[in-house]
Amino acid sequence: MSLRTLLTVPAAVKRGEPFEVRLLAQHPMETGYRRGSDGALLPRDLLRRVEARFEGELVFSAELHAAVAANPYIAFWLRVPAGGVLTVDWQGDRGLAHRESRRIDAA
Amino acid sequence: MSLRTLLTVPAAVKRGEPFEVRLLAQHPMETGYRRGSDGALLPRDLLRRVEARFEGELVFSAELHAAVAANPYIAFWLRVPAGGVLTVDWQGDRGLAHRESRRIDAA
């Protein structure tokens, strides 16, 4: 399963200063309640969970449900004591798993 | 324990159309690694979890960790089939629990 995602963070931050992390995934978030053009229910297909790790340590995670809009967008703020790699893992129905990483320098 | 929070949603939305939910809490997110002016470690005091329910059904939840910046801000998008009440529950260290609700009309 493939997923197009966008992980937006500053390339460089100041140690200990907050910066915004923006996560975006191109995904229909099909609820399982809608009918297709043939009248049959479209099977549920949701992104279920997203986890963000900085240098391997879990820093933020979220569980998504059917009411989350298509192409999920989530934003939050982090602060880090030193530079490192932020890794974001998306998990969804049908065995979907997708990882994206970004290096963040801290001065 | 009291917490000042801000739950920002449109007062009225269109059924099935995405709208942004913004959560803000006034909280130090004390990591437990910092020292106070007396040199002693400041005790860890974190907001740990936030849950959003629409008409009682869980629609989004997030787990926060020490790297989340003070005064946590989280944004995401929902879509709802009809009007109702969005309720947000924050949970944190030291038994902190706080609830905020907003009515959302849908036409």
Side-chain angles (χ1 to χ4, degrees):
Chain A
M1 298 286 173
S2 82
L3 182 70
R4 290 184 63 185
T5 62
L6 195 60
L7 164 56
T8 306
V9 292
V13 302
K14 289 189 178 172
R15 293 168 198 261
E17 292 292 312
F19 61 90
E20 189 174 22
V21 178
R22 280 179 279 178
L23 311 178
L24 182 64
Q26 202 169 63
H27 192 281
M29 294 296 281
E30 193 56 60
T31 61
Y33 306 130
R34 292 199 318 146
R35 292 181 186 279
S37 52
D38 62 355
L41 281 175
L42 297 167
R44 177 171 283 215
D45 181 11
L46 296 174
L47 285 174
R48 297 283 186 170
R49 184 172 170 82
V50 60
E51 299 178 344
R53 286 180 175 76
F54 188 73
E55 291 293 291
E57 186 182 342
L58 192 63
V59 293
F60 178 93
S61 66
E63 302 275 348
L64 314 183
H65 300 263
V68 170
N71 303 319
Y73 170 85
I74 302 168
F76 56 92
W77 290 68
L78 293 179
R79 57 189 169 190
V80 296
V85 174
L86 183 70
T87 301
V88 173
D89 285 293
W90 295 88
Q91 297 161 32
D93 290 334
R94 309 180 186 189
L96 186 151
H98 179 85
R99 172 172 287 187
E100 188 172 8
S101 295
R102 285 281 180 284
R103 170 93 210 162
I104 300 172
D105 291 323
Chain B
M1 299 285 175
S2 80
L3 182 70
R4 289 183 63 185
T5 62
L6 195 60
L7 164 57
T8 306
V9 293
V13 302
K14 289 189 178 171
R15 295 168 197 261
E17 291 294 311
F19 60 91
E20 189 174 23
V21 178
R22 281 179 277 177
L23 310 178
L24 182 65
Q26 202 170 62
H27 191 280
M29 294 297 281
E30 193 57 61
T31 62
Y33 306 129
R34 294 198 318 146
R35 289 179 189 280
S37 52
D38 63 354
L41 280 176
L42 296 166
R44 176 171 284 213
D45 181 13
L46 296 175
L47 284 175
R48 297 284 187 170
R49 183 172 171 81
V50 61
E51 298 177 344
R53 286 179 176 77
F54 188 74
E55 292 290 292
E57 187 182 342
L58 192 63
V59 293
F60 177 92
S61 67
E63 302 275 346
L64 314 182
H65 299 262
V68 171
N71 304 320
Y73 169 85
I74 302 169
F76 55 93
W77 290 67
L78 293 179
R79 57 188 168 189
V80 296
V85 174
L86 184 70
T87 301
V88 173
D89 285 293
W90 294 88
Q91 297 161 31
D93 290 335
R94 307 180 187 190
L96 186 151
H98 179 85
R99 171 171 289 188
E100 188 173 8
S101 295
R102 283 282 180 284
R103 170 94 210 164
I104 301 173
D105 291 324

